[in-house]
Amino acid sequence: MVRRDPRAPEAGYLAFWREYHLCTLTTRRPDGSPHVVPVGVTYDPEAGLARVITNTASAKAAHVRAAGAEGAQVAVCQVERGRWATLEGLATVSEDPVRVADAVARYAERYGRTPAPNPHRVVIEIALTRAMGSA
């Protein structure tokens, strides 16, 4: 495992995050147990953020909100054969239409499709504190 600066990733690490890969998001349930779900993730090292779009009523959004204003400790990870990359940080939920639209545009760019309109969409923004992996 190699630790990396999430705001200054090496070219190969960043390229891996630009490829089409489904990821996992790990949050904590109220009882402290891990909740791991498949998601699409976009990585913005310049802003120090990873973003996940979701429905406001999703369990993942509820878990993040339950942590309070300071944010929830979360991790996103992607794997392809022997390559893997994990980003960790403090997540918050934003309903701001501009932030949600930006997250949708980034998702569309990475995954090659624009999600259907959803008036209940929010964005989980992860302020990155750690990056690691073998990519």
Side-chain angles (χ1 to χ4, degrees):
M1 173 189 70
V2 176
R3 285 196 178 198
R4 304 164 188 283
D5 180 348
R7 288 182 162 270
E10 294 86 357
Y13 189 80
L14 184 56
F16 187 49
W17 278 103
R18 300 280 191 248
E19 296 170 8
Y20 185 106
H21 296 286
L22 292 180
C23 304
T24 59
L25 169 68
T26 303
T27 60
R28 289 188 183 134
R29 293 182 179 101
D31 68 2
S33 65
H35 178 250
V36 183
V37 293
V39 293
V41 175
T42 60
Y43 176 28
D44 180 1
E46 294 81 20
L49 292 174
R51 297 176 179 89
V52 175
I53 55 175
T54 189
N55 193 299
T56 191
S58 69
K60 55 189 161 286
H63 297 156
V64 170
R65 284 189 184 105
E70 297 83 39
Q73 291 182 332
V74 303
V76 291
C77 182
Q78 64 183 22
V79 177
E80 181 192 49
R81 299 182 187 234
R83 297 188 307 160
W84 64 276
T86 298
L87 298 169
E88 298 177 5
L90 292 174
T92 55
V93 176
S94 177
E95 297 177 6
D96 179 282
V98 172
R99 294 174 93 100
V100 172
D102 179 52
V104 168
R106 291 171 186 276
Y107 176 96
E109 182 179 333
R110 181 173 189 198
Y111 292 101
R113 70 174 193 86
T114 300
N118 178 351
H120 305 291
R121 182 173 287 130
V122 295
V123 58
I124 296 173
E125 295 179 322
I126 305 164
L128 301 172
T129 57
R130 180 178 298 157
M132 56 190 141
S134 65

